[in-house]
Structures are given as structure tokens and as C-alpha cells.
């Protein structure tokens, strides 16, 4: 009998005395924690959250999510949102003429508002005028916040060419939707308040438990870096681009806007965006399914463009931009420029200030590239020290993002209740 009781006691010790931990998002008192305009969110089933004492993490029952009182999602930290999230672009004015003009954008993509008042110069290929937009996405995506603005073209800061682009934040607007177009770069993942890009997605959060991508990598480069440094299958691809080439809140594009034009026409791609310099951006094809071969580092060239009655563009031969499947994807600068050196001269604080060697997965093999972070004029160069490698072992999640589960007390109490009688019987 004593042996049986001893076995039961050992089993209880193994089950209940283990350190139960649960990776939680940060508590409501922590920087970057979930909030609803500065107030504490609640669970969708109506239960209250713990107070801001000792930075206790908010905790809902499994399968129950955090909500604001108006039913919207709390701010839980997202990839860099840029314009619309605190940064005002050159030539931007807040207006009240959108429909809808306030509130939350529909996740179905039915809230989009755009009004164009533009004229096209057949000699320069530039447009002048304004685009008014509420920055709601025109296809199904995450809910965003209505932000009605009017953007001037060319923007005052970029009226004279050539010039550098803002490497983070708005560089153009979509002609069809009025949605922000950014450079290829992200501000980083797993850094500051940005969500962790690897591991199991945490309750009430977009992020995981570990992983890091430096700011100044393109979304594609970041994805390749994480494929090499995170455990297989652990990369949270939901943080990256959707099928239309964009993401985040406020929604913005980092790549070819394939949902905005017909890729099967067999002719020069249609106009998709308008740079802040007033130069029109087109899709990825020059003719048929062939990309242009003579793009400058800005992603532009002098060549024929098709007529567009929708945007009042006259067929002509002018300088214009193309989206590309390779870096820089959107724009590298506001051109034209003669060569890479001329492009880099536009970024004296960003280009040529040193390189960062990072491993990426390429054709299922890990190789190292030298990245000139936030320099949009050239692709990274294969490092002289690069050697083929194997995927790294499963990493240990960042302990700073792990907090002890609120249910741990219950496990320990259960242990005490069950273990003490067994122990007494063992002694007797």
C-alpha cells in the first residue's frame, strides 16, 4: 500500500509541481500593450480584465478574444503603419469630405472612398492635382480606421527631381483605391513594440514568442532571414503581405499591386499608382509578360505608356515607374537618375554607412548577404564570408515575452489539496 501511495505522490509532483508557463502578450500597464484609445479592453464575453496592478497580463478564457467597448479590436501592436498612424506626408491635408468620414473601415473592403482631381501632362508624364481618400482598403483585409485626407501632387517636398523617397511611410497612392504605397522596407519585427514574427501566435496578439528582423530590410528579405533563423514552420506569415501586396493597419502596399490591374492583357501594364513626385506608376509588364529591362535604380525609365480613359492619361513616351517582382519592388527614388551612384547620392545618411551581414534562406540553403540597411538603390550583395549551412536548431523563445500563467496558482492549490492526504497516509 505504501508503494502505491508513494507512486501516486510522485505522479502528483510530476504533474502539478512543474513550472507551468504561458506565453502572454504584455499587460495593460506595459508599453505597447493592448488598449482601446488608452483604456483597458475587455473579453468579448463581457468579463472584466484584471486591474493595472503589478502589470498583470490580461487573460481571457481560451477561444475568447479581447474587444473594445464598441466591438472593435484593441490596438495590440502592428507592423509599422507610417502615414495615417502619426506621420503626415508632405502635401497632406485632413479633410471631411469622405464617405464614410469616420469610424472603422469594413473588413469586407466595402468602405473605400477615393476622389481624384488630376490632370496629366503629356510632355512630362506627370500628374498635378489631388487625391482624396479615407484610406479604407478596397478588398477584404484587416479592419482599419477611417482617416480622410487630401494628398497634393506633386507634394511640395518632392516637386523637384531627382530626390530620395521616404524609406518608411508614404511614397505614393494607389490610383484606383487611394491606398498608401510604401517603399520595400519595414521598420522591423520583434523590435520595440513590433510583434515577434516567429512561434505560436499569442492570444489577443498578432505576434508570436520570438524572432527578430532588423529595420531596413524589405519584407521579402525579412521573410528569407526568418526562414533561416527561426524553426521550420514557425514564421508567422500572417504578419507579412497578403495576396494583393499589402498589409497592416493602416493598410499599405510594399509590392506590385496585383489586385488593381489585369495581368493577362498581353500589353503594357496599366497605371496603378501615383508617386508623390507626380510621376505615374505602372504594373510589372512592359510588353506581354515581359518586364522592362532598362529600369534605373528608381524603378523608372523613358518609354511608351498606354492611354487610360479612367485616369485621363494620353498615350505618350514619357518617364514612368514600374512595380517589380525584385528589389526595390515599388520605388528606389524619385527619378530619373543616371546610375546607382547617383541614386545613392540622394541618401547620404543611409547609403554607404556600412553593411550588416545577415543569413537568409535561398533555394533551401542558408547563405549570408551584406545588407546596406535603408539604402533603396541596390540589392544586397553576397557576403565574402558566406557559406552554405543547415537550418539552426529550434531556438528558445525570448523569456521577456513569457509570463507565468494566472492559472498556475490553481495547479499548485490542487497539488496541495490532493498531495497532503496522500502524504499523511504514507506516514501512517
Amino acid at each position: 500500500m505504501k508503494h502505491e501511495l508513494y507512486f501516486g505522490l510522485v505522479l502528483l509532483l510530476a504533474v502539478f509541481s512543474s513550472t507551468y508557463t504561458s506565453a502572454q502578450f504584455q499587460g495593460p500597464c506595459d508599453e505597447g500593450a493592448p488598449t482601446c484609445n488608452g483604456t483597458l479592453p475587455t473579453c468579448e464575453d463581457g468579463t472584466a480584465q484584471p486591474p493595472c496592478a503589478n502589470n498583470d497580463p490580461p487573460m481571457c478564457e481560451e477561444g475568447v478574444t479581447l474587444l473594445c467597448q464598441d466591438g472593435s479590436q484593441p490596438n495590440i501592436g502592428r507592423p509599422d503603419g507610417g502615414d495615417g498612424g502619426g506621420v503626415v506626408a508632405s502635401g497632406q491635408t485632413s479633410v471631411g469630405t469622405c464617405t464614410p468620414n469616420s469610424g472603422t473601415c469594413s473588413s469586407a473592403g466595402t468602405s473605400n472612398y477615393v476622389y481624384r482631381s488630376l490632370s496629366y501632362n503629356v510632355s512630362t508624364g506627370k500628374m498635378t492635382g489631388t487625391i482624396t481618400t479615407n484610406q479604407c482598403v478596397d478588398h477584404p483585409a484587416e479592419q482599419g480606421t477611417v482617416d480622410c485626407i487630401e494628398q497634393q501632387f506633386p507634394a511640395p517636398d518632392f516637386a523637384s527631381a531627382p530626390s530620395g523617397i521616404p524609406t518608411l511611410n508614404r511614397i505614393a497612392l494607389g490610383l484606383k483605391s487611394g491606398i498608401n504605397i510604401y517603399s520595400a522596407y519595414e521598420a522591423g519585427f520583434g523590435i520595440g513594440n513590433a510583434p515577434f514574427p516567429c512561434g505560436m501566435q499569442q492570444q489577443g496578439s498578432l505576434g508570436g514568442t520570438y524572432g527578430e528582423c532588423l529595420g531596413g530590410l524589405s519584407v521579402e528579405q525579412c521573410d528569407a532571414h526568418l526562414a533561416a533563423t527561426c524553426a521550420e514552420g514557425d514564421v508567422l506569415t500572417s504578419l507579412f503581405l497578403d495576396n494583393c501586396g499589402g498589409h497592416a493597419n493602416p493598410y499599405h502596399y510594399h509590392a506590385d499591386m496585383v489586385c488593381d490591374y489585369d495581368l493577362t492583357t498581353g500589353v503594357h501594364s496599366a497605371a496603378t499608382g501615383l508617386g508623390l513626385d507626380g510621376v505615374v506608376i505602372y504594373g510589372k509588364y512592359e510588353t506581354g509578360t515581359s518586364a522592362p529591362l532598362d529600369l534605373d535604380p528608381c524603378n523608372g525609365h523613358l518609354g511608351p505608356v498606354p492611354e487610360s480613359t479612367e485616369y485621363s492619361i494620353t498615350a505618350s513616351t514619357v518617364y514612368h515607374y514600374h512595380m517589380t517582382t525584385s528589389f526595390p519592388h515599388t520605388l528606389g527614388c524619385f527619378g530619373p537618375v543616371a546610375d546607382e551612384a547617383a541614386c545613392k547620392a540622394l541618401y547620404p545618411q543611409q547609403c554607404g554607412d556600412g553593411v550588416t551581414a545577415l543569413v537568409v534562406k535561398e533555394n533551401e540553403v542558408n547563405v549570408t548577404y551584406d545588407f546596406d540597411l535603408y539604402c533603396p538603390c541596390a540589392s544586397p550583395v553576397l557576403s565574402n564570408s558566406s557559406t552554405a549551412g543547415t537550418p539552426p536548431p529550434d531556438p528558445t523563445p525570448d523569456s521577456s515575452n513569457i509570463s507565468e500563467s494566472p492559472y498556475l496558482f490553481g495547479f499548485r492549490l490542487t497539488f496541495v489539496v490532493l498531495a497532503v492526504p496522500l502524504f499523511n497516509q504514507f506516514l501512517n
Side-chain angles (χ1 to χ4, degrees):
M1 181 65 179
K2 287 186 177 181
H3 291 293
E4 293 172 351
L5 291 172
Y6 179 77
F7 177 78
L9 180 60
V10 170
L11 182 62
L12 284 170
L13 283 169
V15 173
F16 294 109
S17 293
S18 300
T19 302
Y20 282 84
T21 59
S22 174
Q24 304 294 328
F25 46 81
Q26 294 173 302
C29 299
D30 296 334
E31 183 180 1
T35 61
C36 301
N37 296 320
T39 63
L40 188 65
T42 60
C43 297
E44 64 179 349
D45 60 2
T47 57
Q49 292 301 305
C52 274
N54 303 317
N55 290 336
D56 292 331
M59 186 75 177
C60 298
E61 294 293 333
E62 184 176 358
V64 178
T65 59
L66 285 171
L67 287 177
C68 300
Q69 291 183 354
D70 60 2
S72 63
Q73 293 292 325
N75 175 15
I76 52 179
R78 297 179 182 273
D80 176 66
D83 293 318
V87 178
V88 178
S90 170
Q92 173 185 315
T93 305
S94 294
V95 294
T97 56
C98 301
T99 305
N101 194 56
S102 61
T104 302
C105 302
S106 167
S107 59
T110 57
S111 302
N112 177 256
Y113 174 89
V114 60
Y115 177 77
R116 296 176 295 272
S117 178
L118 298 165
S119 60
Y120 179 76
N121 187 315
V122 69
S123 299
T124 64
K126 287 192 174 186
M127 285 186 157
T128 57
T130 61
I131 292 178
T132 303
T133 172
N134 64 2
Q135 302 186 77
C136 291
V137 190
D138 62 345
H139 62 266
E142 291 182 54
Q143 277 189 335
T145 302
V146 175
D147 185 13
C148 187
I149 60 101
E150 181 181 87
Q151 176 64 54
Q152 176 185 345
F153 295 92
D157 289 353
F158 309 111
S160 298
S163 65
I165 61 169
T167 50
L168 297 173
N169 310 314
R170 180 184 307 149
I171 61 173
L173 286 180
L175 279 170
K176 176 175 176 282
S177 63
I179 297 300
N180 286 319
I181 301 172
Y182 284 17
S183 77
Y185 291 128
E186 274 292 344
F189 291 98
I191 301 170
N193 293 332
F196 288 100
C198 298
M200 183 177 294
Q201 186 170 347
Q202 298 304 291
Q203 181 188 27
S205 171
L206 292 175
T209 55
Y210 73 99
E212 178 181 281
C213 246
L214 296 177
L217 295 178
S218 74
V219 177
E220 182 182 55
Q221 292 162 356
C222 176
D223 198 6
H225 175 60
L226 294 174
T229 56
C230 293
E232 185 174 356
D234 261 12
V235 179
L236 293 175
T237 56
S238 58
L239 288 175
F240 298 96
L241 305 184
D242 63 18
N243 292 334
C244 292
H247 71 158
N249 177 18
Y251 188 92
H252 54 273
Y253 292 102
H254 286 285
D256 188 21
M257 301 153 61
V258 294
C259 296
D260 277 18
Y261 70 103
D262 186 352
L263 281 73
T264 64
T265 60
V267 295
H268 191 287
S269 291
T272 58
L274 186 60
L276 291 184
D277 60 346
V279 176
V280 181
I281 305 170
Y282 292 81
K284 60 184 178 181
Y285 296 136
E286 180 69 15
T287 56
T289 56
S290 298
L293 300 177
D294 59 344
L295 297 180
D296 66 14
C298 297
N299 252 12
H301 72 154
L302 179 67
V305 297
E307 178 185 18
S308 171
T309 55
E310 183 177 8
Y311 305 129
S312 300
I313 296 174
T314 304
S316 52
T317 298
V318 292
Y319 182 80
H320 61 281
Y321 302 118
H322 281 270
M323 295 286 199
T324 53
T325 55
S326 58
F327 188 84
H329 301 290
T330 57
L331 305 183
C333 51
F334 294 129
V337 294
D339 51 31
E340 185 178 307
C343 177
K344 289 183 176 180
L346 302 174
Y347 303 95
Q349 304 301 318
Q350 295 158 264
C351 295
D353 59 345
V355 296
T356 301
L358 294 171
V359 62
V360 300
K361 180 163 284 189
E362 187 176 81
N363 298 321
E364 300 304 316
V365 176
N366 288 357
V367 294
T368 302
Y369 277 89
D370 290 332
F371 292 87
D372 192 349
L373 301 178
Y374 288 116
C375 178
C377 300
S379 297
V381 178
L382 190 67
S383 174
N384 292 330
S385 61
S386 181
T387 56
T390 57
D394 290 359
T396 302
D398 187 339
S399 61
S400 67
N401 197 43
I402 303 295
S403 59
E404 190 174 74
S405 168
Y407 297 119
L408 180 57
F409 175 76
F411 283 120
R412 288 176 173 164
L413 180 62
T414 304
F415 165 70
V416 173
V417 170
L418 295 178
V420 170
L422 283 173
F423 189 69
N424 286 337
Q425 291 186 44
F426 177 74
L427 292 176
N428 295 331

